[in-house]
C-alpha cells in the first residue's frame, strides 16, 4: 500500500468516527427532519465548506493540548462543534521517524495533563489515546508507516465545554 493511500484511508476513518461521535444523543438543534443522518450530513458539509483542501492546510484551530511537531505538513483538517463538544481530525505528512513521533507525543501528553489510557502497536501503526483526569479533553494519536518506512500522523482531538 502506498503512503498516500494509507493516509487517505486513515483520514476518512478518523473523520467518520469523529462525526458519528459528535452527533451522539438527542439535540434541540436538529433540523426539521430531526434525524441523526441530517446532523451528520450538516457536519460533513461544514467540514468541506471550511476548507478540507490538501497540502498547506491551516492548523490554527487546534487546541493547545494537540501539539504539532516540527517537520510536518497538514494535508487534511476537519473540525466539529456541536452541543458544547468541539473536536476535529487533522492528518500530517512528516519526515520524522515513528520513534521520534511516539516520544514527542508521550512527552506532550504528560505536559498537557493527558494520561495515556490506551496504546497499541503493530509494525505499520501506533495508536495512543490520552485523556484528562476530568475527561474534558482527549487526544488520539495515530502514526501509520508505509511500506517504505515513511510515517504519517493523524490527530483526533476533542474537548467538552465545562
Amino acid at each position: 500500500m502506498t503512503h498516500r493511500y494509507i493516509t487517505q484511508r486513515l483520514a476518512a476513518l478518523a473523520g467518520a468516527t469523529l462525526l458519528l461521535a459528535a452527533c451522539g444523543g438527542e439535540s434541540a438543534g436538529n433540523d426539521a427532519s430531526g434525524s441523526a443522518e441530517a446532523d451528520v450530513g450538516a457536519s460533513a458539509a461544514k467540514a468541506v465548506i471550511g476548507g478540507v483542501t490538501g497540502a498547506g492546510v491551516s492548523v490554527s484551530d487546534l487546541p493547545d493540548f494537540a501539539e504539532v511537531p516540527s517537520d510536518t505538513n497538514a494535508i487534511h483538517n476537519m473540525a466539529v462543534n456541536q452541543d458544547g463538544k468541539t473536536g476535529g481530525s487533522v492528518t500530517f505528512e512528516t519526515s520524522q521517524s515513528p520513534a521520534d513521533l511516539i516520544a514527542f507525543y508521550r512527552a506532550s501528553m504528560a505536559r498537557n495533563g493527558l494520561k495515556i489510557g490506551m496504546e497499541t502497536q503493530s509494525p505499520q501503526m501506533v495508536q495512543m489515546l490520552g485523556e484528562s483526569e476530568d475527561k474534558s479533553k482527549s487526544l488520539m494519536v495515530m502514526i501509520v508507516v508505509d511500506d517504505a518506512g515513511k510515517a504519517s500522523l493523524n490527530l483526533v482531538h476533542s474537548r467538552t465545554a465545562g
Side-chain angles (χ1 to χ4, degrees):
M1 283 190 249
T2 68
H3 176 69
R4 174 77 60 194
Y5 175 81
I6 292 170
T7 301
Q8 289 172 340
R9 294 293 180 221
L10 182 60
L13 175 62
T17 301
L18 186 63
L19 283 173
L20 289 173
C23 72
E26 193 59 33
S27 169
N30 283 353
D31 66 2
S33 71
S35 70
E37 292 85 2
D39 286 344
V40 171
S43 294
K46 288 179 189 171
V48 172
I49 292 168
V52 178
T53 57
V57 172
S58 173
V59 294
S60 62
D61 61 342
L62 285 177
D64 58 349
F65 62 89
E67 297 178 348
V68 179
S70 60
D71 298 328
T72 59
N73 182 38
I75 58 172
H76 170 83
N77 187 1
M78 177 191 68
V80 175
N81 185 351
Q82 182 177 356
D83 299 331
K85 298 175 191 171
T86 59
S89 172
V90 61
T91 303
F92 299 91
E93 295 175 323
T94 182
S95 60
Q96 292 202 20
S97 72
D100 288 344
L101 291 168
I102 292 166
F104 176 88
Y105 279 103
R106 282 188 179 139
S108 174
M109 287 183 182
R111 194 171 37 254
N112 288 289
L114 302 177
K115 181 179 179 186
I116 297 174
M118 185 231 15
E119 185 171 340
T120 59
Q121 294 190 17
S122 73
Q124 285 81 29
M125 186 171 171
V126 175
Q127 288 184 310
M128 293 187 293
L129 175 63
E131 195 169 40
S132 62
E133 189 173 317
D134 65 359
K135 311 283 188 219
S136 66
K137 56 186 180 178
S138 66
L139 179 65
M140 178 176 280
V141 176
M142 292 172 275
I143 302 162
V144 177
V145 182
D146 69 12
D147 293 338
K150 183 173 173 141
S152 63
L153 170 67
N154 183 263
L155 304 178
V156 178
H157 55 90
S158 67
R159 175 176 270 160
T160 303

